[in-house]
Amino acid sequence: LVTVIVMNALKDALEDWRRHKSDREENEREVLAMENGKLKSRRWCDLHVGSMVVVRQNEYVPADLVLLSTSHEEGHVYIETANLDGETNLKTKMA
């Protein structure tokens, strides 16, 4: 019984460490953010509520965003949410 509990604790610790490592890598990604009227490269972990960011084609989105504008002539943007809900089809959103 003790062996099973210890093995389960080790497995959980390893999973937690891998998740921590993955989160750290995600937070180190960079995005263009508006700061003092200029676009600057910022790490995701340095963004805060109210940050304005520029997301280009095929880039990951750092957090929940409000879409203000898009370069598509009809104001559409296509988003893949596989990391959130496992669905790989593109979802259409409007600016």
Side-chain angles (χ1 to χ4, degrees):
L1 179 63
V2 172
T3 304
V4 172
I5 293 173
V6 169
M7 293 301 287
N8 194 26
L10 288 173
K11 179 187 71 76
D12 290 344
L14 181 62
E15 287 176 4
D16 288 346
W17 179 76
R18 287 181 179 161
R19 190 175 307 114
H20 174 73
K21 183 179 174 187
S22 173
D23 288 347
R24 187 177 35 200
E25 289 173 2
E26 285 288 312
N27 286 329
E28 293 297 319
R29 289 182 190 245
E30 293 197 353
V31 68
L32 285 178
M34 183 71 70
E35 189 175 296
N36 298 325
K38 297 180 182 180
L39 287 176
K40 295 185 179 182
S41 184
R42 292 285 176 239
R43 296 179 309 166
W44 286 8
C45 62
D46 295 332
L47 297 177
H48 52 80
V49 174
S51 292
M52 292 185 65
V53 299
V54 175
V55 179
R56 296 200 171 117
Q57 185 173 0
N58 296 323
E59 284 186 339
Y60 287 98
V61 177
D64 294 338
L65 298 177
V66 175
L67 181 64
L68 299 177
S69 178
T70 175
S71 62
H72 192 276
E73 61 234 12
E74 295 177 14
H76 293 128
V77 65
Y78 301 95
I79 300 173
E80 181 182 299
T81 59
N83 288 345
L84 298 174
D85 57 16
E87 294 184 24
T88 57
N89 57 325
L90 296 176
K91 295 180 173 78
T92 304
K93 304 294 179 185
M94 296 266 314

